[in-house]
């Protein structure tokens, strides 16, 4: 899929910090202690940098779990429909509820990690994920599979939200954007191999075997995180309180217009991706008559494009081109690709066949490599004081918007790809509007965010 640099994981040099603002800048009203760029790194941060490559692999594995959970399952959607004697819309609901669970779960786990640290909530979530995935493997009907997939999404959210928060604990500025691009390289392998693995599993067993494989992956990843991922949030930087303070924290974060702009821009772009994920099995296999193996290869090719552009962003563009400029180019490309797909699926160019549709989807997916790391980094650079809650809002918006957009791709039935293309174009245009009217990149010339706070490759507010 998702479910993306000079190596940002270098362990010998502390991550660069951002100069203090030249003028007093009121940060969002978020309770809890904050970290100054001059503060010494926490012991967990030092330990994580010392084993940087290992931590990168662990975080990459955690962020890869949601796309593994969804993408290995994609080639089996038609088979699940037949096996459980359910409609295509019901089986697509098992994907939608997993996405919704990933959205809501992040909203809960993020503030928990700000209060209790990163390791505890992560390990609990991973254990529940293993149990939920095993239950999916033995689900007797579509209704229970929908319920178990929801639980799988809720618990799997722990990995992705805490991985982002750990990156915010460890890195600043452009280095954070580079690290997110590095994570795309590690976690991006999942969308490439997941459909291929799923297709191969289906050669030897039925769709239930896919969930057995995911259960084993969950057990291994839990063991690796328990063994090698240190705590990166020291006690003195944790937030006290319960639901009330957590809600006030999020309200304060959402009160920052630019932060909210980046969150919505990234979320709507992610909805473009999820519209593709939900519709592509039926578009490729049912409408164009391709085999499961062909679908898996096309899906993997799109993932390779996303990874390649993500590495271009991290290794070449970061530090040379502002995050906003790279993000703007990515948004422009997905809009153009969306227009092309609408025209092709509507028959404006005649019957373009699978090749034309696949080419448009490839361009659209590759451009996500400019959008994902730069929206994440730009948003998190404004929130050094509540990385877990900010990560939760980023992830929740992405998966929630994806869950809301996904059902519309099948609104006209299984015989046309027009709804998929229309949903993708609509979300892409909405993402551009949020970027232009909320983030207002032109209002931060010369490295200023429009309020007087200095930035490094993007906006940041120090409290």
């Amino acid at each position: 899929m998702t479910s993306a640099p000079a190596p940002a994981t270098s362990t010998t040099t502390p991550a660069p910090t951002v100069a203090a603002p030249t003028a007093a800048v009121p940060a969002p009203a978020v309770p809890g202690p904050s970290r100054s760029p001059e503060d010494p790194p926490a012991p967990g941060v030092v330990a994580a940098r010392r084993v940087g490559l290992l931590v990168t692999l662990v975080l990459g594995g955690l962020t890869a779990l949601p796309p593994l959970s969804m993408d290995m399952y994609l080639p089996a959607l038609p088979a699940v429909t037949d096996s459980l004697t359910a409609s295509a819309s019901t089986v697509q609901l098992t994907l939608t509820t997993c996405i919704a669970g990933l959205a809501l779960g992040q909203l809960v786990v993020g503030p928990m990690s700000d209060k209790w640290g990163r390791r505890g909530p992560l390990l609990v979530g991973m254990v529940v994920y293993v149990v939920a995935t095993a239950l999916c493997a033995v689900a007797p009907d579509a209704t229970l599979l929908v319920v178990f997939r929801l639980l799988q999404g809720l618990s799997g959210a722990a990995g992705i939200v805490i991985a982002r928060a750990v990156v915010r604990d460890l890195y600043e500025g452009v280095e954070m954007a580079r690290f997110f691009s590095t994570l795309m390289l590690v976690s991006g392998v999942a969308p490439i191999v997941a459909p291929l693995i799923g297709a191969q599993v289906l050669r030897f067993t039925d769709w239930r075997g896919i969930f057995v494989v995911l259960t084993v992956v969950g057990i291994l990843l839990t063991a690796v995180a328990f063994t090698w991922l240190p705590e990166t949030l020291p006690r003195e930087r944790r937030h006290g309180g319960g639901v009330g303070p957590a809600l006030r924290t999020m309200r304060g974060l959402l009160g920052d217009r630019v932060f909210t702009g980046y969150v919505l821009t990234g979320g709507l772009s992610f909805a473009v991706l999820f519209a593709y994920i939900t519709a592509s099995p039926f578009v490729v296999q049912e409408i164009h008559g391709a085999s499961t193996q062909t679908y898996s290869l096309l899906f993997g090719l799109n993932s390779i494009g996303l990874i390649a552009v993500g590495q271009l962003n991290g290794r070449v563009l970061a530090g040379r081109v502002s995050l906003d400029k790279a993000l703007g180019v990515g948004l422009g490309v997905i809009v153009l690709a969306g227009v092309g797909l609408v025209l092709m699926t509507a028959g404006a160019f005649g019957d373009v066949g699978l090749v034309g549709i696949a080419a448009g989807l490839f361009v659209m997916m590759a451009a996500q490599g400019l959008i994902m790391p730069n929206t994440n980094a730009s948003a998190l650079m404004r929130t050094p004081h509540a990385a877990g809650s900010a990560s939760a809002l980023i992830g929740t918006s992405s998966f929630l918007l994806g869950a809301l957009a996904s059902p519309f791709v099948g609104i006209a039935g299984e015989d046309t790809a027009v709804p998929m293309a229309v949903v993708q174009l609509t979300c892409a245009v909405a993402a551009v509007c949020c970027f232009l009217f909320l983030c207002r990149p032109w209002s931060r010339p010369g490295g200023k965010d429009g309020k007087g706070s200095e930035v490094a490759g993007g906006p940041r507010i120090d409290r």
Side-chain angles (χ1 to χ4, degrees), residues 75-238:
L77 286 179
V80 175
T81 302
D82 296 335
S83 173
L84 299 181
T85 317
S87 65
S89 59
T90 300
V91 173
Q92 283 183 325
L93 189 60
T94 66
L95 184 60
T96 301
T97 53
C98 184
I99 297 171
L102 286 165
L104 298 175
Q106 292 183 69
L107 204 59
V108 174
V109 177
M112 288 173 59
S113 75
D114 281 338
K115 179 180 180 181
W116 289 309
R118 311 302 185 205
R119 274 177 58 87
L122 170 63
L123 295 174
V124 171
M126 291 300 300
V127 170
V128 177
Y129 171 87
V130 169
V131 174
T133 306
L135 290 174
C136 288
V138 297
D141 55 51
T143 301
L144 284 177
L145 182 59
V146 168
V147 173
F148 295 150
R149 287 283 280 173
L150 176 63
L151 181 60
Q152 185 188 40
L154 288 168
S155 54
I160 194 168
V161 70
I162 291 178
R164 270 195 306 264
V166 168
V167 173
R168 184 62 188 91
D169 293 338
L170 297 177
Y171 294 100
E172 300 277 352
V174 171
E175 288 300 307
M176 183 161 37
R178 286 176 174 159
F179 194 92
F180 277 124
S181 294
T182 302
L183 279 188
M184 287 184 67
L185 176 61
V186 178
S187 62
V189 174
I192 296 175
V193 302
L196 296 174
I197 295 174
Q200 297 308 311
V201 170
L202 290 176
R203 293 180 62 184
F204 300 100
T205 183
D206 62 7
W207 59 270
R208 298 180 189 275
I210 292 176
F211 288 108
V212 173
V213 173
L214 286 172
T215 301
V216 174
V217 171
I219 292 172
L220 293 175
L221 193 53
T222 303
V224 169
F226 177 80
T227 305
W228 282 302
L229 185 65
E231 177 60 67
T232 58
L233 187 67
R235 293 186 180 276
E236 60 271 17
R237 284 177 45 214
R238 298 178 188 177

Side-chain angles (χ1 to χ4, degrees), residues 29-51:
V30 182
S34 64
R35 176 166 60 102
S36 167
E38 289 78 22
D39 287 346
V45 173
V46 175
R49 289 176 180 165
R50 191 175 296 126
V51 290

Side-chain angles (χ1 to χ4, degrees), residues 251-302:
R251 185 171 64 246
L253 291 170
L254 292 174
D256 176 8
R257 170 182 52 79
V258 180
F259 171 81
T260 301
Y262 284 118
V263 168
L264 291 177
T265 299
L268 288 163
S269 300
F270 217 53
V272 173
L273 181 65
F274 272 106
Y276 158 71
I277 290 172
T278 304
S280 59
F282 295 95
V283 171
V284 174
Q285 296 180 74
E286 301 296 329
I287 296 177
H288 292 282
S291 67
T292 300
Q293 307 300 321
T294 299
Y295 167 73
S296 300
L297 290 173
L298 289 176
F299 195 92
L301 183 62
N302 289 338

Side-chain angles (χ1 to χ4, degrees), residues 174 178 313-314 316-323 457:
V174 171
R178 286 176 174 159
N313 177 76
V316 178
L317 300 181
R320 294 181 177 89
V321 177
S322 74
L323 304 188

Side-chain angles (χ1 to χ4, degrees), residues 54-79:
L54 201 54
V55 169
T56 301
L57 294 175
V58 173
L59 296 181
L62 293 173
T63 56
L65 196 59
L68 273 177
S69 300
M70 289 180 287
D71 298 347
M72 279 184 64
Y73 179 62
L74 292 180
L77 286 179

